[in-house]
Amino acid sequence: MKNLKISFLLLTCVLFGLQLQAQIEKAPPRSEGEGPWSQFIIRGVTVIDGTLSPPIGPVDIVVENNKITSVQVVGFPGMDINPNRRPQLKPGGKELNAEGMYLLPGFVDTHAHIGGIPQGTPAEYVYKLWLGHGITTICDPGSGNGIDWVLDQKNKSNKNEITAPRIKAYNWFGNNLDGERGRLDITTPEAAREWVRANAKKGADGIKFGGGLPEVMTAALDENKKLGLRSKTHHAQLYVGRWNVLNSARAGLTSMEHWYGLPEAMFEDRTVQNYSLDYNYQNEQDRFGEAGQLWTQAAKPYSDKWNAVMDELISLDFSISPTMVIYEANRDLQRARRAEWHEEYTLPALWDFYAPSRQSHGSYWHYWGTEQEINWKQNYKLWMTFLNEYKNRGGRITVGTDAGFIYQLYGFAYPREMELLREAGFHPLEVIKAATLNGAEALGMDDQIGTVTVGKLADFVIVEENPLENFKALYGTGAIQLQEDNTIERVGGVKYTIKDGIIYDAKQLLEDVKKIVKDTKAETGYKITQPGMKD
């Protein structure tokens, strides 16, 4: 009887997995968005163009066949616009009145997983959260859904058959390329080169590494570079003693993710992290708890070693996608858990995935407390010092989120990452450049996107509030503002997201997400609860 019960449970799990997979793989045909048109004019907007130029307006922007053809100043703030200065609308064209609003290039998320089976997040849900926050291009660094699935979504997005950002599809190094799940054990340079060539032939835009044997990494990065593809690495502790950020950059890596491998490259009085002697990498509280002590073990800011590592990385045109937001719960768990958007925007399956667990990735809250958070706060200070100086010396920092883990929600994590760059010392214009032009450069797309420039694609974010004054105005929940009559209002949130000249009502996309969550809760009777506490 016991064996029968176990078999029944296993069968139930398998069937649930298949149903969930089918749900995730359903990206419905696009029913949102207006356009595109042969000509499209945005009228009277104030432009923040992504190049560090200060805002300028009023401006009329002309788009023809998805290319910006004119960015024309048409007047002065506070004065009537002379209609004779304005570009003329052609028959069949579309005008959008954006007077008093702000326009930026479409945002680029350089580290954006399209959900997956463990999180129970359908693609439509993730895409609308991204577009609802102005994210028009993402780089999926190896989705749990498999490279074939991501390439299919990329193709549909390119054709605007689905409501989704533009997708760059990277593949985890060693993933099976025959459609089966699982990862190959690549242990020789020859096998590494063969896999890289096959990955390129498959159509992937690049590779995401987690580290590896030095000879394997060297061969794989060399072959990938020869093929003209890009690469990124999460330098896992399992390999970082033999292969850190400098090794990767010298071998041709184009971008590092997070910060692992960077402090290790700056060790002066040790060769290995000061692990506790009962440390176990598979215990994620060990892994992430002690990672919070790493920056204090590296060379001090502005020391010779610190400077040498930084200067060499910059000389190699090396990009950093820090994803500070994904680790912010480590320095303030309560804040991340109780973010106001969870109630209406976080799916039940995703909320359960976030909860403390010994097997769900990023759910390492076994007994997280004050000491871990103090370590991580110090970690952030040193990390941010490096990032700000890297930017000051000409290095490229991008905005990536890695959301879908550690209480960080797709879309909402993006303005939070921008706020963290601001905390690190970036001027708001530098933050916008990191979110737009820098991201485009890191993905090799700066000839197409990243700035409001004649000849580039019509990807824009339009907001009613000035984002330079308050990045909180970019959150889907907006910012709280006290009015003159002492009433409280929510202001901000992206008003329009424009991708490939198609206008999306960003607020409606987020309403769609709320409905998905509400309907799911109604079907299951689910409500968010506090782990370890009874209602």
Side-chain angles (χ1 to χ4, degrees):
M1 188 67 174
K2 182 178 179 182
N3 290 336
L4 182 61
K5 181 183 285 188
I6 292 173
S7 298
F8 176 76
L9 288 172
L10 288 172
L11 178 60
T12 301
C13 291
V14 169
L15 290 174
F16 176 75
L18 291 172
Q19 290 168 355
L20 185 55
Q21 179 67 37
Q23 179 191 28
I24 290 169
E25 290 186 343
K26 286 181 180 178
R30 180 171 69 92
S31 58
E32 298 83 11
E34 295 183 71
W37 298 269
S38 57
Q39 188 197 46
F40 171 37
I41 302 178
I42 302 170
R43 300 286 194 188
V45 77
T46 297
V47 173
I48 304 171
D49 70 4
T51 68
L52 298 182
S53 295
I56 185 169
V59 167
D60 282 2
I61 299 172
V62 182
V63 173
E64 295 183 355
N65 299 315
N66 194 25
K67 292 288 183 70
I68 302 171
T69 59
S70 174
V71 181
Q72 186 170 326
V73 177
V74 294
F76 300 90
M79 298 187 66
D80 292 336
I81 297 173
N82 184 343
N84 295 324
R85 301 185 62 174
R86 313 196 85 162
Q88 297 301 304
L89 185 69
K90 297 177 182 178
K94 166 74 174 180
E95 287 184 314
L96 180 66
N97 181 6
E99 292 183 14
M101 302 181 196
Y102 293 80
L103 179 144
L104 304 84
F107 295 145
V108 180
D109 191 330
T110 54
H111 194 120
H113 297 280
I114 311 174
I117 293 173
Q119 291 95 330
T121 49
E124 179 188 10
Y125 168 81
V126 179
Y127 294 152
K128 287 185 175 180
L129 281 168
W130 281 334
L131 286 171
H133 285 87
I135 300 162
T136 56
T137 300
I138 66 102
C139 179
D140 187 308
S143 171
N145 299 314
I147 188 64
D148 291 331
W149 186 94
V150 178
L151 289 172
D152 172 72
Q153 297 294 284
K154 172 186 173 180
N155 182 53
K156 287 183 168 68
S157 176
N158 285 342
K159 296 176 181 178
N160 291 303
E161 294 175 352
I162 58 176
T163 301
R166 186 175 292 103
I167 297 169
K168 281 291 186 178
Y170 284 34
N171 198 7
W172 266 100
F173 180 63
N175 270 357
N176 276 325
L177 295 172
D178 56 6
E180 298 294 324
R181 296 191 180 275
R183 194 166 299 169
L184 305 173
D185 187 15
I186 298 176
T187 58
T188 67
E190 294 75 18
R193 291 182 185 275
E194 181 180 352
W195 186 93
V196 170
R197 289 191 293 267
N199 185 58
K201 187 176 180 180
K202 173 75 81 170
D205 296 301
I207 301 173
K208 164 77 176 297
F209 295 90
L213 300 172
E215 60 272 23
V216 168
M217 291 291 291
T218 300
L221 285 166
D222 178 66
E223 193 68 26
N224 198 58
K225 188 175 181 180
K226 285 179 181 177
L227 294 170
L229 300 185
R230 299 193 173 244
S231 51
K232 50 180 69 217
T233 297
H234 170 150
H235 292 85
Q237 277 83 1
L238 295 175
Y239 299 100
V240 77
R242 294 168 287 176
W243 188 270
N244 61 40
V245 169
L246 282 179
N247 300 113
S248 289
R250 290 165 181 166
L253 188 77
T254 57
S255 175
M256 66 167 284
E257 311 304 293
H258 320 308
W259 52 262
Y260 311 108
L262 181 52
E264 290 90 341
M266 297 186 291
F267 282 166
E268 291 183 301
D269 59 353
R270 69 196 69 214
T271 61
V272 66
Q273 176 181 339
N274 186 25
Y275 296 110
S276 298
L277 299 185
D278 60 350
Y279 178 102
N280 186 328
Y281 184 77
Q282 281 296 89
N283 180 325
E284 286 203 346
Q285 175 144 342
D286 283 355
R287 174 180 163 187
F288 289 98
E290 297 197 17
Q293 304 167 22
L294 240 174
W295 276 94
T296 61
Q297 298 173 40
K300 288 182 170 53
Y302 308 104
S303 65
D304 290 345
K305 180 77 169 182
W306 193 88
N307 285 326
V309 170
M310 178 178 294
D311 290 342
E312 182 173 356
L313 291 175
I314 292 171
S315 73
L316 293 168
D317 192 30
F318 192 67
S319 299
I320 299 178
S321 179
T323 70
M324 286 183 284
V325 65
I326 198 60
Y327 300 113
E328 192 175 20
N330 294 350
R331 68 174 187 169
D332 192 346
L333 178 57
Q334 281 90 338
R335 179 194 184 281
R337 288 190 67 257
R338 300 315 300 160
E340 60 185 349
W341 43 83
H342 284 314
E343 297 289 343
E344 292 188 303
Y345 293 98
T346 299
L347 276 170
L350 184 56
W351 183 255
D352 286 344
F353 178 79
Y354 290 150
S357 169
R358 297 191 184 276
Q359 59 186 16
S360 295
H361 176 52
S363 301
Y364 43 82
W365 321 109
H366 303 183
Y367 190 50
W368 199 263
T370 304
E371 295 307 307
Q372 287 85 0
E373 290 190 358
I374 294 298
N375 288 338
W376 269 94
K377 286 175 181 177
Q378 180 63 19
N379 224 34
Y380 267 79
K381 289 179 183 178
L382 296 169
W383 184 12
M384 287 176 166
T385 299
F386 188 95
L387 294 174
N388 193 49
E389 185 64 15
Y390 194 81
K391 172 263 301 176
N392 289 342
R393 297 187 192 183
R396 184 183 302 108
I397 305 294
T398 69
V399 176
T401 61
D402 198 13
F405 303 91
I406 317 180
Y407 291 109
Q408 295 301 333
L409 185 58
Y410 312 99
F412 286 92
Y414 200 88
R416 184 57 191 160
E417 181 72 3
M418 298 171 81
E419 288 188 295
L420 289 169
L421 288 176
R422 182 73 184 95
E423 181 183 336
F426 287 48
H427 186 280
L429 286 170
E430 293 173 325
V431 175
I432 298 299
K433 181 172 179 282
T436 56
L437 178 56
N438 287 5
E441 288 177 344
L443 299 180
M445 300 183 70
D446 51 302
D447 61 332
Q448 303 173 64
I449 61 171
T451 59
V452 183
T453 304
V454 170
K456 292 194 177 182
L457 299 178
D459 283 14
F460 309 118
V461 183
I462 298 179
V463 294
E464 294 175 299
E465 305 294 319
N466 182 354
L468 301 181
E469 292 182 338
N470 185 5
F471 284 129
K472 292 188 188 303
L474 295 174
Y475 285 108
T477 45
I480 296 171
Q481 185 181 78
L482 186 66
Q483 305 303 306
E484 290 296 326
D485 62 358
N486 206 38
T487 60
I488 300 169
E489 288 187 16
R490 289 273 182 170
V491 300
V494 174
K495 186 170 182 63
Y496 301 113
T497 298
I498 300 172
K499 178 218 171 191
D500 284 334
I502 298 171
I503 306 173
Y504 292 96
D505 181 334
K507 295 180 188 296
Q508 182 58 53
L509 293 178
L510 294 181
E511 286 298 316
D512 293 349
V513 171
K514 286 168 68 173
K515 186 176 186 305
I516 291 172
V517 174
K518 184 177 180 180
D519 289 349
T520 302
K521 289 179 178 178
E523 290 170 6
T524 60
Y526 187 96
K527 65 178 181 177
I528 287 177
T529 59
Q530 303 280 351
M533 299 178 68
K534 296 181 180 180
D535 293 337

Short mmCIF file of all heavy atoms in Angstrom, two decimals, residues 38 41 55 307 385 477 521 526 531:
data_model
loop_
_atom_site.label_atom_id
_atom_site.label_comp_id
_atom_site.label_asym_id
_atom_site.label_seq_id
_atom_site.Cartn_x
_atom_site.Cartn_y
_atom_site.Cartn_z
N SER A 38 3.44 53.10 -40.89
CA SER A 38 4.50 53.50 -41.83
C SER A 38 5.21 54.75 -41.33
O SER A 38 6.41 54.94 -41.54
CB SER A 38 3.92 53.75 -43.22
OG SER A 38 2.89 54.74 -43.15
N ILE A 41 4.75 59.69 -35.15
CA ILE A 41 5.37 60.88 -34.58
C ILE A 41 4.97 61.02 -33.11
O ILE A 41 3.78 61.02 -32.78
CB ILE A 41 4.98 62.17 -35.35
CG1 ILE A 41 5.37 62.05 -36.83
CG2 ILE A 41 5.67 63.38 -34.72
CD1 ILE A 41 4.98 63.27 -37.65
N PRO A 55 18.38 66.30 -20.20
CA PRO A 55 17.09 66.29 -20.88
C PRO A 55 16.93 67.51 -21.79
O PRO A 55 17.45 68.60 -21.50
CB PRO A 55 16.08 66.33 -19.73
CG PRO A 55 16.82 65.80 -18.55
CD PRO A 55 18.24 66.22 -18.73
N ASN A 307 43.59 48.63 -7.87
CA ASN A 307 43.70 49.45 -9.08
C ASN A 307 44.15 48.64 -10.28
O ASN A 307 43.63 48.81 -11.39
CB ASN A 307 44.69 50.60 -8.86
CG ASN A 307 44.12 51.71 -8.01
OD1 ASN A 307 42.93 52.01 -8.08
ND2 ASN A 307 44.96 52.34 -7.19
N THR A 385 31.67 50.60 -4.16
CA THR A 385 32.84 51.45 -4.37
C THR A 385 33.58 51.04 -5.63
O THR A 385 33.99 51.88 -6.45
CB THR A 385 33.79 51.38 -3.15
OG1 THR A 385 33.09 51.84 -2.00
CG2 THR A 385 35.03 52.22 -3.36
N THR A 477 4.01 50.08 -9.38
CA THR A 477 3.13 50.59 -8.32
C THR A 477 3.25 52.10 -8.15
O THR A 477 2.52 52.68 -7.34
CB THR A 477 3.46 49.89 -6.99
OG1 THR A 477 4.89 49.86 -6.82
CG2 THR A 477 2.93 48.47 -6.96
N LYS A 521 -5.16 32.70 -7.80
CA LYS A 521 -5.49 32.59 -6.38
C LYS A 521 -6.94 32.14 -6.18
O LYS A 521 -7.23 31.34 -5.28
CB LYS A 521 -5.26 33.93 -5.69
CG LYS A 521 -3.79 34.30 -5.54
CD LYS A 521 -3.65 35.66 -4.86
CE LYS A 521 -2.19 36.01 -4.66
NZ LYS A 521 -2.02 37.35 -4.03
N TYR A 526 -5.66 30.31 -2.72
CA TYR A 526 -4.34 30.60 -2.16
C TYR A 526 -4.28 32.03 -1.63
O TYR A 526 -4.87 32.94 -2.19
CB TYR A 526 -3.28 30.43 -3.24
CG TYR A 526 -1.85 30.54 -2.77
CD1 TYR A 526 -1.11 29.40 -2.46
CD2 TYR A 526 -1.24 31.77 -2.62
CE1 TYR A 526 0.20 29.49 -2.04
CE2 TYR A 526 0.07 31.88 -2.19
CZ TYR A 526 0.79 30.74 -1.90
OH TYR A 526 2.09 30.84 -1.48
N PRO A 531 6.03 32.29 6.28
CA PRO A 531 6.59 30.96 6.55
C PRO A 531 6.74 30.71 8.05
O PRO A 531 7.17 31.57 8.80
CB PRO A 531 7.96 31.02 5.87
CG PRO A 531 7.83 32.07 4.81
CD PRO A 531 6.89 33.08 5.39
#
